Amino acid sequence: MGLKKEKLSHFRFYWHDVQSGKNPSSIMVVPPVNNSQTAFGQVNMIDNPLTLDPEIGSKMVGRAQGFYALADQGQIGLLMAQNFAFMEGKYNGSTITVLGRNPVFNQVREMPIVGGSGLFRFARGYVQAHTHTFDIKTGDATVEYNVYVLHY
């Protein structure tokens, strides 16, 4: 299969979930069920910028594309299914796929890396998400992601 020696890479970037304004990167495609205090059932489709710094105008290195669903009736917990699609440097065109549970009010949330493409073919590992900012009025959020990925 032509595989090289496996290596561990660490990336840190910021994920911007923008629900407000003229050009949101996150839109609700399924509303929550009636009377749910946790927005259970809501699904948002995302095409969120990934940047090197917390400011949304900082250098963009890729996009988080996929969806999240509010899948917990007892607390606000998301099912995250997203590809980190890289657009810069040697990783341009490669992706990392994350699929897991995100209990958003936990200080740090860990989700598994289940695969990838390009330079991340056969990828495995995990991400840690930490909320940097959240605007309760708009729903906009900036989340720091630390990515630990084993790949060839």
Side-chain angles (χ1 to χ4, degrees):
M1 290 178 21
L3 298 177
K4 301 173 186 167
K5 183 177 170 147
E6 194 171 39
K7 62 183 173 181
L8 175 66
S9 294
H10 171 247
F11 303 98
R12 186 190 74 189
F13 46 74
Y14 292 86
W15 180 94
H16 300 273
D17 195 56
V18 180
Q19 298 183 23
S20 65
K22 294 180 184 177
N23 192 24
S25 63
S26 174
I27 59 165
M28 183 190 321
V29 293
V30 177
V33 297
N34 292 339
N35 301 322
S36 173
Q37 294 183 341
T38 63
F40 179 71
Q42 178 178 323
V43 178
N44 278 48
M45 192 63 57
I46 63 170
D47 186 16
N48 290 345
L50 301 174
T51 63
L52 287 181
D53 295 309
E55 297 77 28
I56 196 164
S58 68
K59 182 173 178 68
M60 187 166 66
V61 295
R63 302 197 71 86
Q65 298 172 327
F67 68 90
Y68 58 82
L70 286 104
D72 191 324
Q73 295 185 66
Q75 64 176 313
I76 297 181
L78 309 177
L79 162 65
M80 305 284 297
Q82 60 185 335
N83 290 311
F84 295 148
F86 295 98
M87 303 166 27
E88 282 292 319
K90 74 177 191 176
Y91 300 113
N92 184 26
S94 297
T95 66
I96 292 173
T97 303
V98 176
L99 174 66
R101 183 174 184 270
N102 182 352
V104 297
F105 291 124
N106 288 7
Q107 185 73 17
V108 177
R109 290 89 65 192
E110 185 173 300
M111 293 167 276
I113 293 171
V114 297
S117 67
L119 291 177
F120 297 112
R121 193 175 295 132
F122 294 113
R124 58 193 170 94
Y126 65 98
V127 302
Q128 290 181 325
H130 174 265
T131 302
H132 182 73
T133 58
F134 176 69
D135 185 325
I136 193 93
K137 290 181 183 177
T138 64
D140 293 354
T142 300
V143 179
E144 177 186 13
Y145 269 81
N146 278 282
V147 178
Y148 301 90
V149 59
L150 284 165
H151 60 99
Y152 293 97

